[in-house]
Every structure is written in structure tokens, then in C-alpha cells.
């Protein structure tokens, strides 16, 4: 008879002290704001004024907050409803990035208006009027101006000032102080108070029609003669009113990119300027460094009050992106990722990408996956490369954690069309690729014998089939 097997109970236990497991919060503690500070920080008086201007009795207002400000959302909604007869809805978990306006969630409640709080990419929307409220993050104006002067000792140097939207409340003061000494200082002013807010709702629901009043003019529309009363246009914004607010506008001296307008001196190009960026390290800074990759960047972080010369090797990043373009040239199956359902013209760029892929003989699939992650995309291993349609700040995704590369619409155009060549200029906003934009190129397939030139893959060293070459 086999001996009884005795197993010590100590093998199923340990001497670990449970007290050593302490749950800690990974989020930074946020200062508590009383009602007065809350009204000031979120500029609720402006919000209420714009709601009144929308011309709808008892409107439905969607309040969109980033994760860092969700703790204030309930109190903000209560304060807004106390000041004006409206029904508020809090949009917490956005469908895509928090910097983008979540029109999809707002349409679920048939909202008449969206108020977007916090960080914003300023991408255009199509269906619902939007009010952008950036908040008033703390910034030491005196220290910022002193840091600028320390970086640029020569008063006649050409400097382009770009800022994060959360610093918008202080930029008028900063610019006014420095512009008296630096005559060649150019400000990239955020276009938020006229064209982005002023937009009628294209299609009204039956519910909204019942509550609509006569001569509905939208929110802060240009048709409203006193729109400045609720928009609070700054002095800097007034100076740029005669410049088109179209993102795709780009002339010899004026440029409108990423929701910002800048006017250069006569005879100067963007390469002649040094960029001074006010804001913390973020996707906004990276996006501008890629777009203006021939300019030297300095940055001032309001949170840490640290000014530094940016040492990011943009050329190295560009070469990494060029490698992904070569991967796209070798790809036979392409996945098109829809990273937005609210940005204007996303269907136009989708149809353009499909046309390009058809012309060069590549098979493609379209995916609407919301917020992307490696686990989601790993389910589609037959895809060779993904093309992401998203806002400029969410388009540049590192493919390091993903099984297959993720590229931008600009990169797929370089890979699959002979009309678009790699020149070092980098475009993250797909709006600049569409017809009517300054960077638009014709993608019509001419099928000439000159285009059927053998193409060698720089990755495999093999000859690419004709159908996989540029159209």
C-alpha cells in the first residue's frame, strides 16, 4: 500500500506582509476650486452667453471634459443650469482622443451644442456647434517673458511664438510685452473665437426644431453682429481678423495650420524663424516640431517654469517615418483605421485613400475601432500596414508596441502615388491633402509607359511587382 503523501501547508502560503501592499493614486492631486474660482477657471460666463446666442429655448448642452478635469464636471454642469435654462450632459469617456470634439456621444443625446473644455486639437467639426473653453492654467507671465529674453539676446532676431491652448488666457499679455522690444516677433494666434465656434447645425432633429426660435443664427456666428460680446476676442485676435481662418490657407506671408494663424514678414519664409513654444511637453509640441522641422525650437513649460532648447532629433524621426513609407510600398494588404467620426472631411480623405490603393493594386479593409491599442490590431494579422485617419495630434503613433506599422494619409500618398514625392516636408493634418488645399496633388492614374519603371524595395532588395508600384 502506498504511503500517505503529506504536503506541508506552508507550500501554499507565504510570509508576505499584506501591509506592504499600499494602493497609491497615479493621478496628480488637483487643487479644489470653490464656485467663484470654478466660474473663472472655466469661463462659465462666456459659456452661458454663447448658449443664449444659440437661439434655442431650453437647449441640450453636452459638456466634454478631459480626464484630468472630470472631478469638476458635476459642479460645472450644476452652475451652468443655475445660470440658464438648459439641460446639460457630461461626456466623460470620449470615443477617440479627448482633444477631439466627441460629436458621436453628443448626438446620442441629440445635443444642440457642445462645450469642449481643456486641451484641444482645434480640428473642425461638421454637425454640431462647438464652444472651446481651454481653462486658465497657471503661468508665471514675468518669468516667461524673462526666459524669452534670456534665449534671444538680439532684439532683431526673427521668432515665431506658438503656444498651447491652455495658455491662451495669458498670451495677449505676454505678446504685448515682448512685441515692444522684438519687432520681428510673430504670434501663431489660435483661431477659436470666430470660425471654430461660429457654425450652424447642418441638420436639426425634430426635437430641436420644436424648441428652436425664429431666425436661429447658430453659436457666435459671423452673422451675429454682437458676437464679440460673448466671444471676448483678444487684441491679438483682432490684428489677425483679415487673415483667412481656413486651415488649408497658405500664402507667401500667411499660414493657417493646426487651428492657428500666423503672418510672416514680407519676403520671409518659415525657415527663417526660430520657434518659441509656450506649453508643457505634449503631442502639440511634437506635431509642430514635425511640421516645422527646419526650425530650431525653444520651449517654456508653465508647470515647471523651465525654459530649454529642444534637442529632439527631428531628422531621425523623419527617417523612421520614411522607413515606414518603404514598408507601405511593400505592403499588399492595407488596413484603414478610422480614428475619428467627428472631424470635418474625414470621409473625403477616406475615399481618397481608397482610390489611391485601388490604383496601385493593393487590397484594403476599413476598420472603425475607437481608441486603438496593440491588442485590437493584433486580431488582423493579414494586414501588412495600417493607415490612421485622425486629428494631427493623434496621427503620429509609434509602431514600436504594435505588430504592424501605423502610418498617416500623407505617408500612404508618398508610398503609392508618383505625384507626391518625399522632400522633407511633413504633413500631419489630412485636411492639407484634400482638393483646394495648398499641398494637394492630383492622384489621377495616367497609366503611361514612363510610370511602369522597375522599382526595387529598399527593405527586401527585391523587385516590386508593377501592381504594387506607384500608380
Amino acid at each position: 500500500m502506498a504511503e500517505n503523501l503529506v504536503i506541508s501547508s506552508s507550500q501554499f502560503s507565504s510570509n508576505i506582509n499584506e501591509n506592504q501592499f499600499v494602493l497609491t493614486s497615479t493621478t496628480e492631486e488637483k487643487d479644489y476650486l470653490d464656485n467663484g474660482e470654478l466660474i473663472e477657471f472655466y469661463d462659465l460666463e462666456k459659456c452661458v452667453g454663447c448658449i443664449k446666442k444659440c437661439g434655442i429655448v431650453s437647449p441640450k448642452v453636452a459638456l466634454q471634459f478631459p480626464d484630468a478635469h472630470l472631478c469638476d464636471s458635476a459642479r460645472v454642469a450644476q452652475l451652468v443650469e443655475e445660470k440658464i435654462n438648459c439641460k446639460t450632459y457630461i461626456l466623460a469617456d470620449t470615443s477617440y482622443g479627448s482633444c477631439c470634439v466627441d460629436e458621436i456621444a453628443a448626438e446620442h443625446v441629440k445635443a444642440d451644442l457642445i462645450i469642449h473644455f481643456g486641451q484641444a486639437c482645434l480640428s473642425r467639426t461638421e454637425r454640431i456647434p462647438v464652444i472651446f473653453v481651454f481653462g486658465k492654467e497657471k503661468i508665471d507671465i514675468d518669468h516667461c517673458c524673462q526666459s524669452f529674453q534670456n534665449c534671444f539676446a538680439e532684439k532683431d532676431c526673427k521668432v515665431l511664438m506658438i503656444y498651447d491652448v491652455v495658455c491662451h488666457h495669458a498670451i495677449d499679455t505676454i505678446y504685448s510685452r515682448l512685441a515692444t522690444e522684438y519687432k520681428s516677433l510673430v504670434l501663431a494666434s489660435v483661431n477659436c473665437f470666430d470660425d471654430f465656434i461660429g457654425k450652424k447645425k447642418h441638420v436639426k432633429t425634430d426635437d430641436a426644431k420644436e424648441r428652436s426660435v425664429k431666425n436661429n443664427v447658430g453659436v457666435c456666428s459671423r452673422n451675429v453682429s454682437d458676437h464679440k460680446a460673448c466671444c471676448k476676442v483678444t487684441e491679438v485676435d483682432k490684428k489677425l481678423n483679415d487673415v483667412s481662418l481656413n486651415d488649408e490657407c497658405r500664402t507667401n506671408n500667411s499660414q493657417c495650420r493646426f487651428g492657428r494663424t500666423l503672418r510672416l514678414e514680407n519676403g520671409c519664409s518659415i525657415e527663417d524663424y526660430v520657434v518659441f513654444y509656450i506649453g508643457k511637453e505634449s503631442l502639440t509640441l511634437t506635431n509642430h516640431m514635425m511640421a516645422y522641422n527646419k526650425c530650431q525650437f525653444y520651449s517654456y513649460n508653465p508647470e515647471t517654469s523651465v525654459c530649454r532648447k529642444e534637442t529632439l532629433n527631428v531628422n531621425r524621426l523623419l527617417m523612421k517615418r520614411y522607413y515606414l513609407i518603404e514598408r507601405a510600398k511593400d505592403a499588399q494588404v492595407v488596413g484603414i483605421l478610422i480614428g475619428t467620426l467627428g472631424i470635418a472631411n474625414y470621409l473625403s480623405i477616406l475615399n481618397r485613400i481608397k482610390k489611391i490603393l485601388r490604383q496601385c493594386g493593393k487590397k484594403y479593409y476599413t476598420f472603425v475601432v475607437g481608441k486603438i491599442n496593440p491588442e485590437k490590431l493584433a486580431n488582423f494579422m493579414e494586414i501588412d500596414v495600417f493607415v490612421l485617419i485622425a486629428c494631427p495630434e493623434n496621427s503620429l503613433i509609434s509602431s514600436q508596441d504594435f505588430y504592424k506599422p501605423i502610418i498617416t494619409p500623407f505617408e500612404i500618398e508618398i508610398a503609392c502615388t508618383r505625384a507626391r514625392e518625399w522632400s522633407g516636408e511633413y504633413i500631419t493634418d489630412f485636411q492639407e491633402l484634400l482638393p483646394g488645399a495648398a499641398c494637394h496633388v492630383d492622384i489621377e492614374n495616367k497609366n503611361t509607359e514612363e510610370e511602369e519603371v522597375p522599382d526595387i524595395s529598399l527593405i527586401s532588395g527585391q523587385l516590386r511587382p508593377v501592381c504594387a508600384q506607384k500608380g
Side-chain angles (χ1 to χ4, degrees):
M1 185 175 180
E3 297 180 358
N4 293 332
L5 181 61
V6 179
I7 301 178
S8 174
S9 62
S10 63
Q11 300 182 30
F12 300 96
S13 63
S14 63
N15 296 324
I16 298 178
N17 185 3
E18 295 181 357
N19 294 329
Q20 61 184 292
F21 293 97
V22 180
L23 297 178
T24 58
S25 176
T26 58
T27 59
E28 297 181 359
E29 293 185 2
K30 190 175 183 299
D31 296 335
Y32 178 83
L33 302 177
D34 58 33
N35 287 350
E37 294 172 331
L38 210 65
I39 293 174
E40 174 67 18
F41 183 84
Y42 291 105
D43 208 351
L44 296 188
E45 295 296 337
K46 182 194 103 172
C47 297
V48 172
C50 288
I51 294 174
K52 291 179 180 179
K53 295 293 182 181
C54 75
I56 299 177
V57 178
S58 186
K60 294 182 178 180
V61 181
L63 308 179
Q64 181 176 340
F65 290 85
D67 292 342
H69 296 284
L70 274 177
C71 55
D72 297 330
S73 59
R75 295 170 59 205
V76 169
Q78 181 180 2
L79 289 172
V80 170
E81 291 186 350
E82 289 176 356
K83 291 179 177 294
I84 188 172
N85 180 23
C86 68
K87 178 64 176 177
T88 59
Y89 298 85
I90 298 174
L91 308 183
D93 187 17
T94 58
S95 303
Y96 298 98
S98 60
C99 65
C100 300
V101 177
D102 194 355
E103 280 192 323
I104 303 302
E107 286 184 329
H108 288 167
V109 296
K110 299 181 180 180
D112 304 303
L113 176 67
I114 302 175
I115 302 180
H116 183 284
F117 294 97
Q119 176 67 36
C121 61
L122 302 177
S123 297
R124 294 176 176 273
T125 57
E126 289 186 319
R127 297 180 289 272
I128 303 178
V130 180
I131 300 174
F132 286 101
V133 178
F134 305 130
K136 298 182 179 180
E137 298 292 344
K138 295 180 180 179
I139 178 173
D140 189 337
I141 295 178
D142 295 332
H143 188 269
C144 180
C145 293
Q146 184 62 46
S147 299
F148 182 94
Q149 294 169 342
N150 294 338
C151 292
F152 308 103
E154 299 180 0
K155 306 299 183 181
D156 59 345
C157 60
K158 293 180 174 59
V159 183
L160 172 60
M161 181 181 292
I162 303 175
Y163 59 95
D164 196 346
V165 293
V166 296
C167 302
H168 182 81
H169 66 286
I171 205 64
D172 195 14
T173 303
I174 295 174
Y175 176 77
S176 299
R177 287 189 186 181
L178 296 174
T180 56
E181 299 182 31
Y182 297 84
K183 302 302 181 181
S184 298
L185 177 62
V186 175
L187 177 67
S189 181
V190 170
N191 306 327
C192 61
F193 293 117
D194 196 354
D195 189 56
F196 280 93
I197 299 177
K199 191 170 297 185
K200 281 189 179 182
K201 197 172 182 180
H202 287 194
V203 179
K204 286 189 176 183
T205 61
D206 294 336
D207 185 31
K209 286 181 180 179
E210 293 177 359
R211 292 177 284 114
S212 176
V213 297
K214 186 178 180 180
N215 296 329
N216 180 17
V217 292
V219 180
C220 299
S221 171
R222 293 182 179 182
N223 297 327
V224 181
S225 59
D226 59 343
H227 73 277
K228 295 180 181 179
C230 65
C231 291
K232 299 182 181 178
V233 180
T234 65
E235 293 299 323
V236 174
D237 295 321
K238 293 177 183 178
K239 297 178 182 179
L240 295 171
N241 278 345
D242 56 342
V243 179
S244 172
L245 297 182
N246 188 348
D247 280 348
E248 296 78 29
C249 163
R250 197 181 300 187
T251 62
N252 293 334
N253 297 324
S254 300
Q255 293 189 16
C256 308
R257 304 184 73 181
F258 313 127
R260 295 165 171 85
T261 299
L262 58 96
R263 173 177 289 177
L264 308 179
E265 294 182 352
N266 292 331
C268 296
S269 62
I270 193 68
E271 292 80 9
D272 299 328
Y273 286 80
V274 178
V275 179
F276 186 80
Y277 178 82
I278 302 177
K280 63 182 180 180
E281 185 176 354
S282 63
L283 293 174
T284 304
L285 175 58
T286 304
N287 187 39
H288 280 90
M289 293 185 69
M290 291 291 287
Y292 304 124
N293 54 68
K294 296 181 181 179
C295 300
Q296 176 62 58
F297 271 73
Y298 290 82
S299 67
Y300 178 80
N301 190 333
E303 291 185 352
T304 60
S305 297
V306 173
C307 183
R308 69 180 184 182
K309 181 179 181 179
E310 290 297 329
T311 58
L312 176 65
N313 192 337
V314 178
N315 289 332
R316 185 177 180 182
L317 286 179
L318 289 174
M319 293 311 299
K320 287 183 177 179
R321 304 307 301 188
Y322 185 75
Y323 168 77
L324 297 181
I325 293 174
E326 290 297 320
R327 290 283 300 271
K329 291 180 180 180
D330 292 343
Q332 297 298 314
V333 183
V334 179
I336 305 175
L337 299 175
I338 306 297
T340 176
L341 294 176
I343 298 179
N345 300 320
Y346 80 94
L347 288 178
S348 298
I349 194 64
L350 173 61
N351 294 330
R352 180 178 173 87
I353 292 174
K354 289 180 178 180
K355 183 176 181 180
I356 291 173
L357 296 177
R358 284 194 298 267
Q359 288 182 359
C360 63
K362 297 183 186 294
K363 182 184 294 186
Y364 62 85
Y365 298 93
T366 304
F367 303 95
V368 181
V369 293
K371 295 179 180 178
I372 64 174
N373 55 54
E375 291 75 16
K376 286 183 180 180
L377 301 189
N379 294 315
F380 313 105
M381 294 306 296
E382 67 275 14
I383 303 296
D384 297 321
V385 66
F386 290 96
V387 182
L388 175 61
I389 299 175
C391 74
E393 297 189 4
N394 288 323
S395 295
L396 293 176
I397 293 182
S398 175
S399 301
Q400 183 176 358
D401 297 330
F402 293 84
Y403 293 98
K404 298 299 173 62
I406 302 177
I407 64 175
T408 65
F410 171 69
E411 291 165 343
I412 198 64
E413 282 199 7
I414 295 178
C416 299
T417 61
R418 293 191 181 277
R420 178 82 66 184
E421 298 291 343
W422 177 264
S423 63
E425 181 184 19
Y426 198 83
I427 299 173
T428 56
D429 189 355
F430 66 77
Q431 307 280 359
E432 299 182 27
L433 308 176
L434 297 175
C439 297
H440 170 73
V441 296
D442 190 7
I443 59 172
E444 292 298 328
N445 188 8
K446 298 179 181 180
N447 290 325
T448 62
E449 295 181 359
E450 295 180 357
E451 292 180 346
E452 297 182 1
V453 179
D455 190 14
I456 304 297
S457 171
L458 299 182
I459 297 178
S460 63
Q462 299 178 354
L463 183 68
R464 294 193 183 101
V466 175
C467 62
Q469 298 178 28
K470 294 182 178 183

